[in-house]
Amino acid sequence: MLEGMYAAEAEYLAAGGPGSASFAPLAPFFAHDVVLHQAENLPYGGPWRGHDGLERFFLTMSRTWETFEMVEQEFLSHTSPLVVRTQVRARARATGAELQFPIIQTIIVENGRISEVRPFYWDTAAVAQACSAR
């Protein structure tokens, strides 16, 4: 399921992503009342609710990061809650800073759809600093 969701996300981004492409390829993977919880001190921190919230989140992410590549993923659990360890390589738009860092995500699936996502960043302070124009 998650592999399909990540493939749909890649398709969405390749089609122009937030503000350009349709969210439709991603919608079937998420419950209508999905909640994405981001750490508060990130530039895109806080809860993002529903499909509209996810679309706004992706738009905010695209404004924050010039690139955000999930270069390596390991699925540590294959039943809900799913646990995914991802190695990220990213470049911040505001500063041009390049970072490499891991994220662990817990993902709750109910009735075949993702209902909650909680990403845990290794160093939120470094991400916030890289994304802040001085």
Side-chain angles (χ1 to χ4, degrees):
M1 177 206 179
L2 279 185
E3 291 90 348
M5 190 272 302
Y6 288 123
E9 182 179 358
E11 175 185 325
Y12 170 69
L13 294 173
S20 297
S22 169
F23 186 75
L26 283 168
F29 294 96
F30 295 98
H32 290 286
D33 59 349
V34 62
V35 180
L36 166 61
H37 300 276
Q38 291 285 353
E40 289 293 334
N41 64 338
L42 292 172
Y44 37 87
W48 301 85
R49 299 179 187 281
H51 289 187
D52 289 344
L54 288 182
E55 285 189 83
R56 288 190 316 276
F57 165 75
F58 281 119
L59 186 57
T60 302
M61 281 286 287
S62 73
R63 290 177 179 158
T64 302
W65 298 105
E66 185 176 334
T67 61
F68 194 90
E69 300 172 79
M70 296 181 185
V71 294
E72 195 177 310
Q73 290 188 307
E74 182 179 6
F75 296 84
L76 304 175
S77 169
H78 295 279
T79 58
S80 188
L82 305 167
V83 179
V84 182
R85 179 174 41 204
T86 303
Q87 186 64 34
V88 173
R89 183 173 43 227
R91 183 180 315 113
R93 285 193 188 279
T95 64
E98 294 185 7
L99 298 174
Q100 290 189 37
F101 53 90
I103 297 174
I104 296 282
Q105 295 180 79
T106 60
I107 302 167
I108 295 177
V109 177
E110 296 173 334
N111 301 316
R113 292 181 180 226
I114 297 169
S115 62
E116 180 181 88
V117 180
R118 288 185 183 268
F120 296 89
Y121 286 68
W122 178 253
D123 188 347
T124 56
V127 170
Q129 180 179 0
C131 295
S132 296
R134 305 220 176 230

